[in-house]
Amino acid sequence: MSWLNNDGLYIKLAAEEGQKGGTYRSVGPLQITEVKLDLTVDATSTSAIIGSALGQAGVYIPDGSYVEKVEVVAEVAATSGGSATLDVGIIRRDRSTPVDIDGLVAALALTAIDAAGETSVLTKGATGAGALIGTTVTNGGYLVANRNTANFTAGKVTVRVYWYKPQTIG
């Protein structure tokens, strides 16, 4: 059983300690936060912290991160009973206040992830790119996902958020 303690730390036990993703560094200052989504579990009709359906704590993007781009890679072809679209965003550390629930991926069309291996590279202004791409995220938080219009009936994707912490001079 997980809970928020008096210090605002999310305490988790046993299987809840596992995660569906994490962050690693590439060449230079660029960090990559990667999560695996089972679209039938993680992309619900309301924004949910990725992995929370399995009792996991979530994957975090820190305050002050500049989001350079987002990649969405279809590992297993997505299908839908209608025309489902995918949103990925951020919710604050309190686990209830949205930063922007579609700030990273905004209404990405089913056709962008309906074949294994398809990769969508989302940069500022691209179709499916959220408003946080190309900006500094003042309030960091946990990655959330949801679907719009219809349910996903199959599909697994990897979402990679490329970000760095801008340096100040002076």
Side-chain angles (χ1 to χ4, degrees):
M1 171 121 195
S2 302
W3 75 92
L4 282 173
N5 71 9
N6 291 337
D7 295 330
L9 299 174
Y10 193 64
I11 307 300
K12 52 194 186 258
L13 303 169
E16 296 171 340
E17 291 184 284
Q19 295 299 321
K20 295 186 93 169
T23 299
Y24 51 92
R25 182 182 301 263
S26 66
V27 176
L30 200 59
Q31 306 272 329
I32 303 169
T33 297
E34 179 176 286
V35 292
K36 306 283 186 182
L37 297 177
D38 179 336
L39 296 174
T40 63
V41 175
D42 295 311
T44 61
S45 60
T46 58
S47 291
I49 293 173
I50 296 169
S52 63
L54 303 173
Q56 297 170 348
V59 177
Y60 192 78
I61 299 287
D63 299 353
S65 301
Y66 180 87
V67 179
E68 189 173 280
K69 69 179 177 178
V70 175
E71 289 179 354
V72 181
V73 181
E75 305 292 342
V76 174
T79 60
S80 170
S83 56
T85 61
L86 177 65
D87 290 341
V88 177
I90 299 175
I91 194 166
R92 292 185 70 172
R93 290 176 71 173
D94 65 7
R95 305 177 75 77
S96 62
T97 306
V99 172
D100 190 337
I101 60 170
D102 64 354
L104 300 172
V105 178
L108 185 65
L110 178 66
T111 56
I113 53 176
D114 65 352
E118 281 186 306
T119 301
S120 296
V121 178
L122 307 175
T123 56
K124 185 176 184 82
T127 301
L132 295 176
I133 297 175
T135 67
T136 299
V137 179
T138 305
N139 296 301
Y142 297 100
L143 294 180
V144 294
N146 72 288
R147 51 110 178 124
N148 299 298
T149 314
N151 291 327
F152 285 103
T153 53
K156 293 184 181 182
V157 297
T158 298
V159 177
R160 292 186 189 103
V161 181
Y162 291 77
W163 60 272
Y164 62 90
K165 292 281 221 152
Q167 300 298 311
T168 57
I169 299 174

